[in-house]
Amino acid sequence: MKIIKSASSLSAWRKAVSKSVGFVPTMGALHEGHFSLIKASKKICNKTVVSIFINPTQFAPNEDLNSYPKTLDLDMKGLQDLSVDVLFLPTEEEMYKKVGDIEVRPSGLFNKLEGVSRPHFFYGVSTIVSKLFNVVSPTHTFFGEKDAQQLRVIKQLILNEGYNIKLVPCPTIRNKAGLALSSRNQYLSKEERNYASNIYQGLLLIKNALKLGEKRPAVLKELFKAHIANFSSFTLDYISLACSESLNELEEITSKELLVSCAIYYNEVRLIDNFTYRPST
Ligand code: PAF
């Protein structure tokens, strides 16, 4: 595995590769969720590039930028074991001073769901992902369905900016108890991870009710809220039933695919999860 730290060296490497290049952007603290994206890339593409860069512009001053988990040695071992071709490991100076600036156009997708509590977030994500796309010039890129809104935003970014990149969504990976894997799970002990899996159990209550034909979003949300209220360490940030395309909150369930998503504070740790559902007609 090549480790490349400068954008110019990465561009030079890329110019010499004529076949398909899959790209998996990450902020490190890698887990099986990331590894599943990398395995998907290795299956489809001739070369796979993974970046590790903790992007400061997607964190607000009150968020966990400074304490964000850093496990570089372990990450590199995992990437090596998967025979990743290139690890791109740029510095902040490289990405924000040397790589050209990006002007992110405001989007109606940014201020919903995650964007309500984290208004800066999708500006930061879009900025860094555009910069990384410009440096890596991948033919394919791999994003997890765990971050459903991010996936939707990146799909729109690729379309709006005319990037010739195929976006490959990959399913959420869960632990045995059902907790969606996330780098932020590293803030939790084993027992706490078990407790946190009750978030997913709440989502399953909604899924089962949908399957049984419940069509009232307010009733479905109440099911989830009542479940979460049983756990004193949880504070609900939001539970949403939205159109999976526009991310607009639904007044009624139609035959269109919906995104059921939530954010919960487990003490200080903010956890998100979701599923998509297409009601049968
Ligand atoms: O999902 C993440 O880890 C980050 O938001 C990303 C896409 C690497 C951008 O910093």
Side-chain angles (χ1 to χ4, degrees):
M1 178 174 76
K2 263 185 193 318
I3 299 177
I4 298 182
K5 295 193 172 173
S6 76
S8 56
S9 306
L10 188 61
S11 298
W13 173 86
R14 177 66 182 96
K15 279 202 184 95
V17 178
S18 56
K19 294 182 177 163
S20 58
V21 173
F23 176 47
V24 181
T26 82
M27 299 205 298
L30 303 180
H31 50 68
E32 286 302 327
H34 296 110
F35 296 151
S36 73
L37 307 180
I38 294 166
K39 286 175 194 164
S41 173
K42 299 263 323 164
K43 235 185 213 167
I44 301 178
C45 298
N46 296 96
K47 300 279 179 196
T48 293
V49 177
V50 175
S51 63
I52 296 182
F53 178 67
I54 302 180
N55 173 36
T57 64
Q58 68 191 72
F59 290 81
N62 62 331
E63 292 181 347
D64 55 348
L65 172 62
N66 292 327
S67 61
Y68 196 81
K70 292 174 194 71
T71 55
L72 187 57
D73 289 344
L74 264 180
D75 292 351
M76 293 211 288
K77 173 152 188 345
L79 297 177
Q80 228 136 20
D81 289 350
L82 286 174
S83 306
V84 162
D85 297 283
V86 172
L87 167 59
F88 183 41
L89 204 54
T91 58
E92 192 177 329
E93 152 109 7
E94 190 69 23
M95 289 317 292
Y96 281 98
K97 297 229 165 80
K98 298 207 178 134
V99 173
D101 274 346
I102 300 288
E103 202 178 316
V104 175
R105 296 181 226 178
S107 155
L109 296 171
F110 288 3
N111 57 3
K112 300 174 178 135
L113 309 176
E114 286 299 285
V116 175
S117 297
R118 311 184 74 198
H120 57 283
F121 181 66
F122 290 109
Y123 286 93
V125 168
S126 301
T127 303
I128 196 63
V129 171
S130 295
K131 283 177 178 247
L132 288 165
F133 281 171
N134 292 345
V135 174
V136 179
S137 286
T139 54
H140 297 69
T141 191
F142 299 79
F143 280 76
E145 289 171 353
K146 149 83 175 29
D147 297 303
Q149 189 175 7
Q150 172 168 277
L151 181 61
R152 181 67 193 87
V153 164
I154 299 302
K155 181 178 165 193
Q156 201 62 43
L157 175 82
I158 289 176
L159 207 70
N160 290 351
E161 301 305 322
Y163 283 117
N164 188 14
I165 301 173
K166 182 164 172 35
L167 174 62
V168 184
C170 299
T172 302
I173 307 293
R174 301 181 179 280
N175 74 7
K176 278 198 188 117
L179 175 67
L181 298 196
S182 158
S183 301
R184 288 191 167 94
N185 294 353
Q186 297 197 15
Y187 297 136
L188 306 175
S189 67
K190 196 166 170 244
E191 291 71 34
E192 287 171 330
R193 287 179 198 194
N194 279 335
Y195 188 102
S197 67
N198 286 300
I199 298 170
Y200 182 54
Q201 300 310 321
L203 289 180
L204 289 182
L205 289 177
I206 297 187
K207 197 183 234 179
N208 289 337
L210 279 165
K211 282 185 184 160
L212 291 172
E214 179 56 64
K215 291 206 180 311
R216 293 163 298 175
V219 171
L220 292 161
K221 286 181 193 177
E222 267 321 308
L223 275 178
F224 184 80
K225 286 182 191 171
H227 171 79
I228 291 300
N230 292 324
F231 300 93
S232 59
S233 301
F234 287 162
T235 310
L236 178 75
D237 184 357
Y238 66 82
I239 173 70
S240 156
L241 276 80
C243 163
S244 64
E245 208 41 35
S246 67
L247 305 184
N248 287 333
E249 211 56 29
L250 293 175
E251 309 256 304
E252 57 173 3
I253 311 287
T254 63
S255 58
K256 279 193 181 159
E257 186 181 76
L258 60 137
L259 171 68
V260 180
S261 63
C262 67
I264 302 285
Y265 287 96
Y266 178 9
N267 297 325
E268 304 295 300
V269 182
R270 191 168 181 283
L271 299 169
I272 60 172
D273 201 353
N274 72 79
F275 67 90
T276 50
Y277 186 81
R278 186 179 288 279
S280 48
T281 42

